[in-house]
Amino acid sequence: MLKSSQSKFKSHPFLVMIIAAIISLVPLISQAECSSEEVGYVATFDVKPDSEAAFEAAITKLADKVMQVESGVIMYAPYKGAGSKYYMLERYKDTAARQSHATSDEVRALFGPLMATLAAPADIQPISAICS
């Protein structure tokens, strides 16, 4: 049974990544901290062949800077998927924090090197926290 379950997860690396992210955050996020004002996004990136190292350098630099200078950001975390797929899990305390995301010159300057590595435009999808 365990081997069967493991092989099913290997064919769904994004699912495994999301489950791992959630499990790693459980100690940090409790239902009591959940806010209906919070907004989230999942950005999906398709990176050009042979551009993975440049993308990873650019995305980690961007994530570090966002967490330093954007006070309304709860989480801005890059993840690697299968092949040349990457994801950014984004959490903001509210819509205003999301709207002010990437408005500073020092953050906006970091998007250029990132965009140069992409095979297609990023797919950014909104998600909502489920609060009791």
Side-chain angles (χ1 to χ4, degrees):
M1 178 80 168
L2 184 57
K3 285 187 178 186
S4 174
S5 295
Q6 287 175 339
S7 65
K8 286 179 186 177
F9 281 121
K10 285 181 183 177
S11 66
H12 300 289
F14 180 68
L15 177 62
V16 172
M17 180 188 68
I18 294 297
I19 291 170
I22 291 168
I23 290 170
S24 70
L25 294 174
V26 167
L28 303 175
I29 306 165
S30 72
Q31 197 66 14
E33 296 171 4
C34 189
S35 167
S36 61
E37 298 295 314
E38 183 180 306
V39 295
Y41 292 84
V42 175
T44 303
F45 304 98
D46 288 315
V47 176
K48 293 176 188 172
D50 300 320
S51 294
E52 290 88 355
F55 175 84
E56 289 178 13
I59 198 84
T60 54
K61 189 173 183 178
L62 174 65
D64 289 345
K65 184 57 72 176
V66 164
M67 293 305 296
Q68 285 175 352
V69 302
E70 295 184 9
S71 62
V73 178
I74 299 168
M75 180 176 73
Y76 199 77
Y79 288 84
K80 181 169 181 18
S84 60
K85 280 253 197 240
Y86 290 81
Y87 305 90
M88 178 66 78
L89 302 180
E90 305 176 32
R91 290 180 61 217
Y92 302 89
K93 70 178 184 176
D94 54 28
T95 302
R98 174 58 165 101
Q99 289 172 341
S100 69
H101 170 57
T103 58
S104 74
D105 290 339
E106 58 191 326
V107 170
R108 286 191 359 229
L110 298 175
F111 279 96
L114 180 80
M115 299 308 226
T117 65
L118 300 181
D123 177 29
I124 302 170
Q125 297 296 318
I127 56 175
S128 299
I130 300 172
C131 301
S132 55

